[in-house]
Amino acid sequence: MKGIDISQHNGSINFDKVKNDGIEFIILRLGWIGNKNNHTLDTRFNEYYNECIKRNIPIGIYVYNYCTSCGTIKSGAEWTVKQLKGKKIDLPIYIDMEDATTRSVGKTGLTNMCITFNDVIEQNKYWAGVYANLDWFNHCLNKDEIKRRYTTWIAHYGVNPNKYQGQYDMLQYTSTGKVNGINGNVDVNIMYRDLLKEINHNVTPAPKPQKSVDELAQEVINGLWGNGEDRKRRLTDAGYNYNEVQAKVNELVNKNKNNNVKPEYYTIKKGDTLSGIAKKFNTTVSTLQKLNNIKNVNVIYAGQKIRIK
């Protein structure tokens, strides 16, 4: 399916000509969201929305992000939902992750921001997505995590429009497209996945794939599910057993700690016993046996070097 994405920068548009030129869907910029609760509506959003509705042109939404924390982007997501209340949205709501001023947040932080924004979107029964260019997907976001959770839209100009089929759900392949009814250049997209059909048949957001407890625990350790009560809520909302995942996290963390312990050794002296050594170094006989492969606790020798930690 061929579509375009537009904002106030595209000016006055003849939507009859646009539709007659084979455009099958339009992604509208709702506006942008920022760190000071200064979220701003695109000056032509309502005009464009109404014109699309009149002509039954399927509508998606994108929101440009300037936020640099989960707290501010959550506020932006709540503002987004408020602006769209009562409106007919046929396609996902995409968070637009590309602004250079946010890049310093880092891959984990930016990925968590996407998750925070899209949590709010999905809780309000919309499908959620992430838009980013090739560089951002490869270097600024955990793209595998994003692709597992949400529909994805990649910008990569000048490539064969079929390049990303099977990897991403939609490609923005040019910013210099020409479409009847629009003066100047316009972004043109190809949609590989039939999102219109899927969303029409599923009134709730796309089901999230189930992961093993081991996978989830590693993601938690990597910071992808937040902290504290936020982590518990996210895991629970996604249908996972929080206590089971947290138990696995604790197990892995303790295992890593043990693996990182620097070995310490003791040279046995005449008259030493394994129980006495264990007591001296605040450990147990069984631990000493395991560390040193000692089968008989009564068979140790003066001068023998054993590991105690």
Side-chain angles (χ1 to χ4, degrees):
M1 296 181 68
K2 182 180 179 181
I4 57 175
D5 59 275
I6 57 176
S7 71
Q8 65 192 46
H9 304 294
N10 294 105
S12 181
I13 295 176
N14 185 321
F15 284 86
D16 288 322
K17 289 184 178 181
V18 168
K19 185 173 183 179
N20 291 335
D21 201 22
I23 297 304
E24 300 171 272
F25 65 91
I26 297 180
I27 311 294
L28 303 178
R29 186 179 81 156
L30 178 67
W32 58 265
I33 55 176
N35 289 313
K36 300 178 181 179
N37 205 29
N38 52 346
H39 318 312
T40 301
L41 191 69
D42 187 292
T43 57
R44 288 189 179 265
F45 171 73
N46 284 308
E47 172 194 340
Y48 289 166
Y49 171 83
N50 291 330
E51 294 296 324
C52 288
I53 291 295
K54 287 177 185 176
R55 294 161 180 81
N56 200 31
I57 300 173
I59 296 169
I61 299 295
Y62 79 93
V63 180
Y64 194 92
N65 176 60
Y66 289 108
C67 298
T68 55
S69 72
C70 287
T72 54
I73 206 169
K74 182 178 181 182
S75 169
E78 291 167 346
W79 172 85
T80 296
V81 169
K82 184 177 180 180
Q83 304 308 310
L84 296 177
K85 185 175 182 180
K87 288 183 165 58
K88 179 178 180 290
I89 307 300
D90 310 286
L91 292 165
I93 299 171
Y94 296 90
I95 182 65
D96 183 340
M97 303 294 287
E98 61 176 305
D99 197 79
T101 63
T102 67
R103 194 173 181 125
S104 62
V105 174
K107 182 181 286 190
T108 298
L110 291 168
T111 300
N112 280 335
M113 284 167 54
C114 290
I115 294 170
T116 297
F117 183 92
N118 285 341
D119 274 353
V120 174
I121 298 304
E122 290 188 335
Q123 286 163 12
N124 284 274
K125 307 304 181 185
Y126 297 103
W127 277 39
V130 175
Y131 166 95
N133 58 44
L134 179 65
D135 176 56
W136 268 67
F137 269 123
N138 285 341
H139 302 111
C140 299
L141 298 170
N142 185 332
K143 67 178 178 181
D144 292 332
E145 178 66 13
I146 295 295
K147 288 162 73 173
R148 277 196 293 264
R149 286 172 173 265
Y150 311 114
T151 179
T152 49
W153 176 16
I154 186 171
H156 189 187
Y157 302 150
V159 299
N160 184 311
N162 293 319
K163 177 177 175 62
Y164 291 107
Q165 189 163 7
Q167 301 176 58
Y168 296 91
D169 298 328
M170 188 159 64
L171 164 68
Q172 182 187 84
Y173 61 89
T174 182
S175 61
T176 58
K178 303 296 181 184
V179 173
N180 287 336
I182 298 179
N183 294 322
N185 297 329
V186 65
D187 298 337
V188 184
N189 305 273
I190 183 169
M191 187 190 300
Y192 304 118
R193 180 179 174 186
D194 194 346
L195 292 167
L196 285 169
K197 183 177 180 180
E198 288 188 49
I199 294 173
N200 184 50
H201 286 80
N202 294 276
V203 294
T204 55
K208 299 178 180 66
Q210 292 296 303
K211 302 175 187 176
S212 70
V213 174
D214 286 347
E215 284 181 288
L216 288 166
Q218 193 57 60
E219 289 179 357
V220 167
I221 291 170
N222 292 340
L224 292 175
W225 290 86
N227 297 298
E229 287 301 314
D230 181 49
R231 174 194 297 170
K232 184 175 183 179
R233 176 186 58 78
R234 286 185 181 178
L235 286 166
T236 302
D237 287 348
Y240 296 115
N241 185 316
Y242 169 78
N243 291 331
E244 186 178 9
V245 174
Q246 192 59 47
K248 177 58 71 170
V249 169
N250 294 339
E251 177 187 325
L252 292 177
V253 169
N254 289 333
K255 182 179 179 181
N256 289 336
K257 285 181 180 178
N258 291 333
N259 289 339
N260 291 328
V261 170
K262 186 177 180 180
E264 292 184 16
Y265 296 89
Y266 172 74
T267 301
I268 297 175
K269 298 178 176 60
K270 187 176 180 179
D272 277 339
T273 63
L274 210 58
S275 60
I277 295 170
K279 184 176 181 181
K280 181 177 181 179
F281 291 100
N282 195 29
T283 184
T284 65
V285 171
S286 61
T287 297
L288 293 176
Q289 285 185 275
K290 289 178 183 177
L291 287 175
N292 298 281
N293 196 27
I294 298 173
K295 293 183 170 51
N296 188 337
V297 297
N298 296 313
V299 181
I300 59 175
Y301 309 94
Q304 180 182 357
K305 188 177 182 180
I306 64 171
R307 183 177 171 180
I308 58 171
K309 183 188 287 188

